[in-house]
Amino acid sequence: MPEDSLLDQLVEAWETNNRITLMLVENVSKDGMACTMSKRGGRDVSRQFAHLHTNRLRQLAGKGGKDLIEGIVEFESKEQPSAAKLKKALTASGEALSKFIREVGSGEREKRQQKKGIAVTVAYHIAHESHHRGSILLTLKQCGHGLHQDVTYGIWDWHRR
């Protein structure tokens, strides 16, 4: 079996990252979604997940992928979407980003504003989302809504996701 191309590997890395984010959304309780450690109105867990989705949309719109996000729901800044709404939105924005990565990497889409290339763009998105997943897990733990070990260790099991 031939080795996957670097582009295939980049798309798979992004899609694995997205599956891990969706796994977390699926495992946070309704009460957990409302948790925050902020004393001044910072994002609760639900709004942190919404931020990931919003960031994806903004990045796509600003990097020449505006057509890929048409019709995808956007959240208001203070909106606290349910897990079902988050899952649907993150699935849609995740698929849009997968398509963007594949099209830019294959030359089908102009590389507009991809100054450091598509691999760096993918790395940015994974790093950004990993940061927020860590913040979400810490918030849940500190607020007494920690997740089962299968989930917390599962974020590292990329070969099974």
Side-chain angles (χ1 to χ4, degrees):
M1 176 187 236
E3 187 175 323
D4 291 339
S5 71
L6 181 57
L7 179 56
D8 291 336
Q9 292 176 39
L10 285 171
V11 171
E12 179 57 30
W14 166 251
E15 290 177 350
T16 301
N17 174 78
N18 193 48
R19 287 190 296 271
I20 289 167
T21 297
L22 291 169
M23 176 193 64
L24 282 181
V25 170
E26 293 167 355
N27 282 281
V28 176
S29 68
K30 186 176 180 180
D31 289 341
M33 285 289 186
C35 290
T36 183
M37 292 194 315
S38 174
K39 303 290 186 217
R40 295 182 280 159
R43 294 183 189 119
D44 60 20
V45 169
S46 172
R47 287 175 45 214
Q48 286 191 61
F49 282 122
H51 166 73
L52 297 181
H53 171 69
T54 299
N55 184 65
R56 293 172 181 185
L57 299 182
R58 287 186 183 146
Q59 291 290 317
L60 283 166
K63 295 189 182 304
K66 199 170 199 165
D67 61 303
L68 296 174
I69 62 172
E70 290 175 10
I72 296 178
V73 67
E74 293 185 50
F75 299 122
E76 299 296 324
S77 67
K78 299 291 182 184
E79 183 176 354
Q80 295 173 299
S82 67
K85 280 182 81 172
L86 287 165
K87 186 174 178 185
K88 184 176 180 182
L90 288 163
T91 297
S93 61
E95 289 171 356
L97 237 160
S98 288
K99 186 171 185 179
F100 180 78
I101 294 163
R102 185 156 309 278
E103 289 178 357
V104 170
S106 68
E108 294 175 50
R109 183 174 292 271
E110 184 182 337
K111 292 182 182 179
R112 194 171 102 210
Q113 297 182 13
Q114 298 294 316
K115 293 176 186 166
K116 294 189 177 187
I118 195 63
V120 173
T121 298
V122 173
Y124 161 81
H125 280 285
I126 291 173
H128 177 253
E129 298 201 3
S130 297
H131 161 76
H132 283 286
R133 287 195 302 257
S135 180
I136 287 165
L137 289 170
L138 179 61
T139 298
L140 291 168
K141 183 177 181 179
Q142 293 296 317
C143 292
H145 291 273
L147 300 178
H148 191 274
Q149 273 187 326
D150 291 347
V151 177
T152 58
Y153 289 147
I155 66 172
W156 298 108
D157 195 357
W158 280 50
H159 296 290
R160 291 180 40 180
R161 301 281 168 225

